[in-house]
Amino acid sequence: MQKRLILAGALYFGYYMALGSYNPFINLYYDRLGLSGVQIGILAALPVLVSSTTVLLWGGLADARQWHRGILRLNLLLCAAAVLMLSTASTFVTLIPWIVAYAFFNSPLVPLLDSSTLGAVEKTQRSYGEIRVWGSIGWTLSTFLVGWIIQQYTVRWFFYIYAAVMAITFLFSIFQPRPKPVP
């Protein structure tokens, strides 16, 4: 049981560390590309629109087929790939498909992590918050470090850091135990 709790904390840490290396800096990247405020606003709204329409699809598929771990693993890798492809786009129109892909693959990750963590803590004296706090620690650490790195080098570094951290998080997900089937 202790292994499940440590793994759940590591998955939160990695996922939110990746998000902390991406979310605060993506609009800065758009600005550096020379996009207008309206274009940046549209690009910033796309992930919310896509995620809100696809999260139920992913959740239904995971529950119906008991593919929670597989969907988590696949989407960790596909998010990293989408962000790496996003780093190659340089116009408003060429950014859109990669942002949509990123949002589509990112949408089930938090619900899957939450579900797994709730399953891990259910028969222990630990709380969900004790595990979830590792996500906050990962976010805080990455925003500080990535901010420093892009000041020293270039804003593009956040793409590579995001992909690397998601790849490491994927490696942790390999050790995630199978959830018990819901009756």
Side-chain angles (χ1 to χ4, degrees), residues 59-97:
L61 182 62
D63 289 344
R65 301 288 186 181
Q66 296 297 308
W67 288 348
H68 299 86
R69 293 179 323 146
I71 290 173
L72 176 70
R73 291 175 188 159
L74 177 67
N75 287 17
L76 287 168
L77 290 177
L78 292 175
C79 276
V83 167
L84 286 175
M85 294 307 297
L86 179 62
S87 76
T88 67
S90 58
T91 67
F92 177 72
V93 172
T94 59
L95 289 163
I96 291 173

Side-chain angles (χ1 to χ4, degrees), residues 22-146:
Y22 175 85
N23 285 357
F25 305 108
I26 189 65
N27 290 340
L28 175 63
Y29 177 72
Y30 299 153
D31 181 64
R32 299 263 170 95
L33 288 177
L35 300 180
S36 71
V38 171
Q39 290 172 321
I40 293 171
I42 291 169
L43 295 177
L46 271 176
V48 176
L49 178 65
V50 172
S51 294
S52 65
T53 59
T54 60
V55 69
L56 294 175
L57 167 81
W58 283 115
L61 182 62
D63 289 344
R65 301 288 186 181
Q66 296 297 308
W67 288 348
H68 299 86
R69 293 179 323 146
I71 290 173
L72 176 70
R73 291 175 188 159
L74 177 67
N75 287 17
L76 287 168
L77 290 177
L78 292 175
C79 276
V83 167
L84 286 175
M85 294 307 297
L86 179 62
S87 76
T88 67
S90 58
T91 67
F92 177 72
V93 172
T94 59
L95 289 163
I96 291 173
W98 300 117
I99 292 166
V100 169
Y102 163 76
F104 180 74
F105 297 126
N106 187 61
S107 68
L109 295 179
V110 170
L112 289 170
L113 290 172
D114 288 347
S115 174
S116 173
T117 300
L118 289 170
V121 300
E122 99 182 319
K123 292 184 181 176
T124 69
Q125 299 297 318
R126 307 295 291 273
S127 72
Y128 166 78
E130 288 178 73
I131 307 303
R132 173 60 183 81
V133 74
W134 287 103
S136 298
I137 294 167
W139 174 280
T140 302
L141 180 62
S142 71
T143 55
F144 175 75
L145 291 174
V146 173

